Amino acid sequence: GGRSAIFIPGSAVGKQFEPLLRDTLVKSYKDAGSLKIRREIVHALASLGDEQSDEFLARLYETETDREIKKAIISAFGATGN
């Protein structure tokens, strides 16, 4: 049987995939219509803890009009300590 890889943010192997993961999450956020999916993407981006993800979320907070997404951004930063 095939082996499946598990992505662990912050691991040595995971670090090389973070830019691709971040770009995919950002694109998915822009395409997502579902509030629930957008909230999950916000938390996933915050969990990466890299500068580019943090900058995207900070810009998103400034431009986002949906209060639930703004709350999710604050919550995500609080949960990760960023």
Side-chain angles (χ1 to χ4, degrees):
R3 293 172 30 144
S4 61
I6 297 174
F7 175 76
I8 302 170
S11 71
V13 174
K15 284 285 184 203
Q16 73 187 41
F17 293 106
E18 282 182 9
L20 176 61
L21 177 59
R22 181 183 55 254
D23 292 347
T24 302
L25 288 168
V26 167
K27 182 180 181 327
S28 297
Y29 181 88
K30 292 175 180 176
D31 294 340
S34 164
L35 179 63
K36 181 178 181 187
I37 291 172
R38 291 182 2 199
R39 279 196 312 248
E40 291 299 322
I41 291 171
V42 163
H43 282 278
L45 283 166
S47 74
L48 290 177
D50 67 317
E51 186 176 341
Q52 293 90 346
S53 296
D54 291 350
E55 287 174 4
F56 172 78
L57 292 173
R59 284 192 312 272
L60 181 62
Y61 184 85
E62 294 297 321
T63 59
E64 182 61 58
T65 58
D66 189 302
R67 289 175 51 100
E68 292 302 313
I69 294 299
K70 284 185 173 257
K71 285 190 223 176
I73 294 168
I74 292 168
S75 172
F77 277 135
T80 60
N82 292 349

